[in-house]
Amino acid sequence: MTETRHTTKECQLEKNEHLRHLLLFAFNQGAKATKAARDICAVYGEGTITERTAQKWFARFKEGKFNLTDSPRSGRPVQFNEERLHQLIHEDPHQSTRQLAQQMGCSHDSIARHLHSMVKEPKTEK
């Protein structure tokens, strides 16, 4: 008997747009939104996409709306200084997201999102 191993994969493209292409593919195959969401999570990891999000996109596809890019949002775009965040982390790498947020003037959720999206830089030898 062969053993099947499931490993999670990284999205190779911009994550949201990539997931929307996967949803459109599943929609065109006649799959249900909930199954599409479960299949995506099986490959990319639990919580990658919610069933509700998949249902929302399937509803759009049923209405003939196939644009997969983000809709423009109202208001001024938020500016975030990642260089400043790098500097603060370099000065004290043991700071919490709340401490960094206080220094940056934003929410700790914003800090957590930016830390998560930042690519780890290899350490240089001294």
Side-chain angles (χ1 to χ4, degrees):
M1 179 167 26
T2 60
E3 182 182 322
T4 305
R5 285 190 162 199
H6 293 284
T7 58
T8 58
K9 303 283 183 190
E10 284 279 326
C11 287
Q12 291 86 5
L13 306 170
E14 193 278 321
K15 182 181 174 185
N16 288 337
E17 192 172 334
H18 178 64
L19 296 177
R20 292 170 193 159
H21 279 93
L22 295 173
L23 290 171
L24 180 58
F25 180 77
F27 175 82
N28 287 331
Q29 284 187 314
K32 299 288 183 197
T34 53
K35 181 178 181 339
R38 280 189 240 120
D39 290 346
I40 290 169
C41 288
V43 173
Y44 294 103
E46 196 61 39
T48 299
I49 190 168
T50 64
E51 289 181 3
R52 180 66 196 118
T53 298
Q55 291 167 347
K56 180 191 83 164
W57 280 97
F58 269 53
R60 287 179 57 127
F61 300 152
K62 286 177 188 169
E63 294 171 1
K65 298 176 183 175
F66 298 103
N67 184 355
L68 303 178
T69 59
D70 284 325
S71 299
R73 296 180 182 221
S74 63
R76 184 173 61 97
V78 175
Q79 299 293 320
F80 189 89
N81 188 343
E82 281 196 8
E83 192 172 307
R84 173 81 173 124
L85 180 58
H86 276 285
Q87 179 187 8
L88 292 171
I89 293 168
H90 181 72
E91 289 170 4
D92 182 3
H94 302 290
Q95 295 180 79
S96 70
T97 56
R98 291 185 192 281
Q99 291 169 319
L100 290 166
Q102 187 175 21
Q103 294 176 70
M104 296 279 298
C106 63
S107 72
H108 77 277
D109 288 330
S110 291
I111 297 294
R113 271 194 307 278
H114 283 276
L115 290 174
H116 184 72
S117 69
M118 289 166 54
V119 178
K120 282 195 169 190
E121 298 174 9
K123 291 186 178 182
T124 56
E125 291 185 33
K126 293 183 180 181

